[in-house]
Amino acid sequence: MRFMPGTSDARRCSSGFRCAACFLFVLFSSPPALGENPVPFVNEPLVPDAALPGGVAFTLTVNGTGFVSGSVVNWNAAPLATTFVSGSQLTAIVPAANVAASTTASVAVSNPPPGGGVSNVEFFVVSSPATTITFTQLSLNPAVLSPLGLITADFNGDGKLDLAYLTNATTNNVIVQLGNGDGTFQPPLTYSAGTTPVQMVAADFNGDGKLDLAVVDEDDNTVSVLLGNGDGTFQPQLTVATGPNPSGIVAADFNGDGKLDLAVGSDTPDGGVFILLGNGDGTFQPYVTYGTSTCATYMAGGDFSQKGKLDLVYADCVEGEGQGLWFLQGNGDGSFQPPVSISGSPSSGVIASVMTADLNGDGRLDLITADLSAWISRLPPLPGEWIGAGAWVSLGNGDGTFQPPVQYAMATGYSSFGLAVQDFNADGILDLALANLNIGNPSPSDGTLAILLGSGDGTFQNPIDFPTPSPGGASLVAGDFNGDGKMDFAVAINSVSNAPVIVFLQGQLPIASASPTSITFTQTAVDNTSQPQTISLTNPGAATLTLISVGITGADAGDFAQTNNCGSTLAPNASCGINVTFTPTARGTRTAAVSLVDNASGSPQSIALSGTGVAPVVNLSPSSLTFPGQFVGTTGLPENVTLTNNGDAPLSISSIQASAQFAASNGCTTSLAAGVGCTISVFFDPSAAGTQTGTLTITDNAPDSPQTVQLSGVGMDFQMSSSTTSQTLTAGQTATYSLTLAPEGGLNQMVSLKCSGTPSLSACTLTPSQVTLNGTASTTVAVAVTTTAGSLAPPWKRVLPPSLTGLGRMFWLYAFLGLASVAALAGARQRRAAYLLGACLLLVMLWSACGGGAQVIHTPGTPAGTYTLDVTATVTSAATSSTLTHDFKFMLTVD
């Protein structure tokens, strides 16, 4: 449908719908691909409406079947005031605001309960006539393996046209790309449908109001039905058997039961047409063959005889001159009469597409075919030549017959494959479009998109050519892909192995073309900035690109930065640069995108960014150290920490330090390669008793620097104390002290004690002299100091004067004897004297016998004074070869 704002007169518009219990057939044409099997092409040409004034309400007439009282026409999903005319016609008032500007609206009919249901969607174009036609090309990414047979429809019901096409892949060979409504499309969704799909059609086969797909597979002799979910996705294929080499396909209600049927043509001579009546649930009855004297490659359906029954027109598969069209009249019950040759069929080459529309406005369906070139060999010296490329138009007589075809030829060396019928310049008259493949013209090498503007009487003007990428397109579909009320195109370029689908948006539009379309940075150290990479932004369009913003978006947007010299606008064919740097904040893959917000289709454009952050990763094992008990003031055996670089970049070590009471011996170098380890020895040097804690700190270039290892150990010690530390005594007495030994830090070692500093003639006794501390309880040691008193006792050794030794001793002995004798003789009594003399002699004899006499010496005892007694306690550890010693002082005063 088309409505032209800004003009003076008004007429009603018409279109067709299929509701829950009805179907208005959709018209098809079918272009093949060069060197490939035929593929389908779907189009919905509608008789254009005369011009209507913009901003003025008008009445829209909707034709179809299955309408009931209460049916509502919806414009862009909003209900219109609707009048029920009959089960096949509704009228609705379109407000002036709906047609005040160029746009394309979606129109559908919804039925009330209990039957309910929503019709298929038709698109109503509101546009102003164009004096000239221009196009801006957009490549639809990604490139695929020989894209075939485009169709367009709204698969997810969002009012935006989507695309579906086939590829030569043996799996995932159905591709669906949902439209964004601005001429760009979402990433492809892929589905499998047989091994060699050749044609495809979209329709609602199970009556749920959601578009499904039917795909012909010529090698499997099947039709695969992919039921739609209504959101643009499809269920796994259901297969239906056909006759040999199925090719062309048409979906229509041939028996009038409100359920869609299929007509599938055979690409085998005498293969005929297979009719599969639908069950209304997506399944079909076994096929019945008609027209077995012919084959059918490309087909179109319509009421060509104006009897209210659907007929078929199809192209014969015989190649070369004389190939023709056949008419298969329907009986209205799903059966058909024998085929009739259409007089004056195109005869110069091979028919590549068949479509039908009312080209001259007489209410009768006409035929349009696309014709491949034929190579005509001539006898030398005449050269051979390509002839016959272009379109053939056969105006209908309304009774199933047609007037002789009129050819509209293309340039020599081209073959016409894709065909579309629409009002491309918004003048209310149907036009033709052909996708032409360059097969014999050496220059230029590109194919063309040719538009033949209609004159309104079934004739057409000379083609206006627009180049397509080399060597050209093999299938074509028309629709308003960006919602501006102007007809656009999508062309499949399947003559090369990997090619894109090209979208032609009507008008001079800016294009934001970024190269490259993605950037991958080399491995970059965390927190370091990479060298910049440049994105070239070019505007190959014909209008100025307005650049609204350039930014970084995505999961790791903070890891990337951009600077640019693009400014706010970019003239046609101008370029600017966007420099992007990567500064990873973490290891691993980091992703983001440069987002370009502008006035071009597909805005915002996105250039994917990715990079890998690398960094050393320090692993410390163990992550903490607990030392065994260590004597305070001593150094024990080391505990080891293994440092491993588990990262993907070298580790640069700045320092390794241990906090107080611990020490580190660094066995690591200043640089450690990835995957390499080293050992750090840590010592415990307690300066106090009890639990001591500290930290081993490694400073390096790893992201989590500094790393730490927690250290802990117990300092072991003991304390000595006494309640009495000084005593006073007289020589000869004993001083007793009580010395207490208390363990600290769980000391449970044996302590050896000794005493020093005692005065002369005294002794110090420790009881016991060794004690074993149990880690908690105190132990008492008795310290006793015994002194010596002064005395006259003989000396412990004889002392003889010199005069009493040797001869001197004998002299004095005999002198004493002589004197005793004289005294005895002088005594009064002789008897008494005799006794005296005898005693003296005895004494002399005894003295002589004993060797003489001894000297008597005086002993003074322990000297008086004040003394410092020192008790030394020592603990020795055999495990660590360390010794712990403490002294305790006592004062002793001797009077």
Side-chain angles (χ1 to χ4, degrees):
M1 289 179 282
R2 183 170 297 282
F3 163 65
M4 285 64 62
T7 53
S8 59
D9 62 334
R11 287 175 54 189
R12 292 186 301 176
C13 308
S14 63
S15 179
F17 292 83
R18 190 184 72 80
C19 297
C22 64
F23 173 75
L24 178 66
F25 66 87
V26 180
L27 305 178
F28 297 89
S29 66
S30 308
L34 180 66
E36 301 293 339
N37 294 310
V39 294
F41 175 74
V42 178
N43 202 350
E44 299 180 356
L46 302 170
V47 177
D49 305 301
L52 294 173
V56 176
F58 71 97
T59 300
L60 172 67
T61 299
V62 178
N63 296 317
T65 58
F67 301 149
V68 298
S69 178
S71 295
V72 175
V73 177
N74 296 278
W75 179 284
N76 288 335
L80 299 178
T82 305
T83 300
F84 174 76
V85 178
S86 68
S88 60
Q89 189 175 90
L90 303 172
T91 61
I93 302 301
V94 179
N98 290 14
V99 292
S102 296
T103 186
T104 295
S106 61
V107 178
V109 174
S110 59
N111 281 348
V118 179
S119 75
N120 59 301
V121 174
E122 292 285 355
F123 289 93
F124 187 96
V125 178
V126 177
S127 184
S128 299
T131 56
T132 59
I133 299 177
T134 60
F135 289 95
T136 299
Q137 293 186 29
L138 300 177
S139 290
L140 183 61
N141 288 322
V144 298
L145 180 62
S146 298
L148 309 171
L150 291 163
I151 64 173
T152 183
D154 182 9
F155 296 117
N156 59 350
D158 63 354
K160 303 170 184 177
L161 282 176
D162 310 314
L163 291 176
Y165 49 97
L166 306 171
T167 77
N168 282 339
T170 57
T171 60
N172 296 330
N173 42 30
V174 177
I175 297 179
V176 176
Q177 291 193 254
L178 301 179
N180 296 316
D182 59 0
T184 64
F185 294 81
Q186 298 178 28
L189 305 172
T190 60
Y191 304 91
S192 291
T195 57
T196 312
V198 292
Q199 297 204 31
M200 176 168 55
V201 65
D204 181 8
F205 297 112
N206 60 352
D208 62 355
K210 304 169 184 177
L211 283 179
D212 312 313
L213 294 173
V215 183
V216 175
D217 189 295
E218 71 167 358
D219 286 347
D220 294 344
N221 296 333
T222 60
V223 172
S224 294
V225 178
L226 284 70
L227 298 178
N229 297 316
D231 58 358
T233 64
F234 293 85
Q235 300 174 30
Q237 60 179 335
L238 305 172
T239 58
V240 182
T242 69
N245 294 97
S247 178
I249 184 169
V250 166
D253 183 6
F254 294 116
N255 61 354
D257 64 354
K259 303 171 184 176
L260 280 179
D261 311 314
L262 289 175
V264 179
S266 172
D267 195 18
T268 299
D270 301 329
V273 176
F274 316 124
I275 301 298
L276 296 85
L277 298 180
N279 297 317
D281 59 358
T283 65
F284 294 85
Q285 299 176 30
Y287 69 89
V288 177
T289 305
Y290 297 91
T292 54
S293 61
T294 63
C295 63
T297 53
Y298 301 98
M299 309 170 68
D303 185 5
F304 298 104
S305 57
Q306 295 188 325
K307 294 181 179 180
K309 302 171 184 178
L310 289 180
D311 311 314
L312 288 171
V313 172
Y314 58 89
D316 201 311
C317 61
V318 177
E319 298 183 2
E321 295 188 31
Q323 181 193 29
L325 291 171
W326 294 87
F327 173 67
L328 202 63
Q329 183 170 325
N331 297 319
D333 59 358
S335 65
F336 292 84
Q337 299 179 25
V340 177
S341 176
I342 297 175
S343 176
S345 298
S347 60
S348 62
V350 178
I351 295 176
S353 182
V354 177
M355 294 194 73
T356 183
D358 183 2
L359 299 177
N360 57 358
D362 63 356
R364 302 166 185 171
L365 286 176
D366 309 315
L367 287 178
I368 313 99
T369 63
D371 189 18
L372 298 182
S373 295
W375 178 257
I376 303 298
S377 297
R378 301 181 187 275
L379 294 176
L382 297 175
E385 65 175 336
W386 292 95
I387 64 170
W392 293 80
V393 174
S394 301
L395 298 180
N397 296 318
D399 58 359
T401 64
F402 298 86
Q403 300 176 30
V406 177
Q407 183 185 24
Y408 296 89
M410 300 297 103
T412 300
Y414 287 90
S415 285
S416 300
F417 281 84
L419 174 64
V421 181
Q422 280 288 357
D423 181 10
F424 299 115
N425 61 349
D427 64 353
I429 300 172
L430 283 178
D431 310 312
L432 302 181
L434 291 164
N436 297 312
L437 188 65
N438 184 349
I439 59 175
N441 187 21
S443 179
S445 60
D446 290 348
T448 65
L449 172 66
I451 295 179
L452 290 73
L453 297 178
S455 301
D457 59 358
T459 64
F460 295 87
Q461 303 174 31
N462 291 328
I464 304 171
D465 290 328
F466 301 92
T468 60
S470 175
S475 58
L476 170 70
V477 66
D480 182 8
F481 297 121
N482 60 350
D484 63 355
K486 301 174 183 178
M487 275 294 146
D488 310 312
F489 294 95
V491 181
I493 310 297
N494 78 337
S495 53
V496 292
S497 59
N498 285 285
V501 172
I502 304 296
V503 175
F504 287 76
L505 296 180
Q506 189 172 168
Q508 292 186 342
L509 305 174
I511 298 176
S513 177
S515 179
T517 57
S518 64
I519 289 178
T520 299
F521 288 87
T522 57
Q523 290 186 344
T524 304
V526 171
D527 296 329
N528 286 265
T529 301
S530 71
Q531 291 296 317
Q533 293 201 45
T534 300
I535 299 170
S536 178
L537 176 63
T538 304
N539 176 17
T544 298
L545 176 70
T546 299
L547 197 60
I548 299 171
S549 67
V550 180
I552 305 292
T553 62
D556 305 309
D559 288 16
F560 301 85
Q562 66 82 27
T563 58
N564 69 84
N565 62 352
C566 294
S568 59
T569 60
L570 200 60
N573 299 315
S575 298
C576 64
I578 302 170
N579 290 327
V580 184
T581 57
F582 175 44
T583 308
T585 59
R587 292 178 65 241
T589 300
R590 316 294 288 172
T591 59
V594 174
S595 178
L596 305 176
V597 181
D598 48 51
N599 66 331
S601 294
S603 177
Q605 292 83 23
S606 183
I607 298 94
L609 305 175
S610 66
T612 302
V614 297
V617 175
V618 172
N619 177 265
L620 297 171
S621 179
S623 59
S624 64
L625 288 178
T626 299
F627 288 82
Q630 178 67 39
F631 294 162
V632 171
T634 66
T635 299
L637 296 177
E639 297 284 341
N640 292 329
V641 173
T642 300
L643 185 158
T644 306
N645 179 7
N646 288 338
D648 36 30
L651 176 71
S652 296
I653 302 173
S654 302
S655 67
I656 298 177
Q657 298 289 334
S659 58
Q661 305 204 63
F662 298 89
S665 176
N666 180 13
C668 301
T669 60
T670 58
S671 181
L672 201 61
V676 177
C678 60
T679 300
I680 304 169
S681 296
V682 184
F683 298 86
F684 180 34
D685 301 328
S687 60
T691 300
Q692 308 298 321
T693 60
T695 304
L696 175 68
T697 302
I698 299 94
T699 305
D700 47 53
N701 66 329
D704 59 345
S705 177
Q707 302 85 26
T708 58
V709 175
Q710 298 303 311
L711 308 175
S712 66
V714 177
M716 296 191 302
D717 204 349
F718 64 93
Q719 295 289 333
M720 296 191 293
S721 64
S722 177
S723 59
T724 302
T725 59
S726 65
Q727 289 192 37
T728 301
L729 51 71
T730 301
Q733 295 179 333
T734 297
T736 303
Y737 303 89
S738 178
L739 179 62
T740 300
L741 277 71
E744 291 182 312
L747 182 68
N748 57 359
Q749 303 286 327
M750 184 179 70
V751 183
S752 299
L753 299 100
K754 65 180 181 179
C755 185
S756 63
T758 56
S760 60
L761 300 178
S762 66
C764 181
T765 303
L766 299 173
T767 305
S769 61
Q770 288 184 332
V771 298
T772 300
L773 299 178
N774 65 1
T776 57
S778 299
T779 299
T780 301
V781 174
V783 181
V785 180
T786 303
T787 62
T788 302
S791 69
L792 295 178
W796 62 276
K797 181 180 179 182
R798 290 180 299 169
V799 180
L800 299 177
S803 60
L804 295 181
T805 62
L807 294 176
R809 181 177 63 180
M810 294 302 297
F811 171 79
W812 287 106
L813 175 62
Y814 289 110
F816 177 74
L817 180 60
L819 288 175
S821 300
V822 172
L825 293 178
R829 298 178 181 176
Q830 291 181 353
R831 183 181 184 102
R832 187 175 183 182
Y835 285 135
L836 179 59
L837 180 59
C840 289
L841 289 172
L842 179 60
L843 178 60
V844 172
M845 292 172 66
L846 290 173
W847 193 1
S848 298
C850 294
Q855 182 180 4
V856 176
I857 300 173
H858 173 70
T859 303
T862 300
T866 299
Y867 302 94
T868 299
L869 306 179
D870 188 1
V871 177
T872 301
T874 301
V875 179
T876 300
S877 172
T880 59
S881 300
S882 59
T883 300
L884 177 64
T885 300
H886 286 308
D887 294 328
F888 193 84
K889 310 294 184 181
F890 291 102
M891 300 301 297
L892 175 64
T893 301
V894 179
D895 292 338

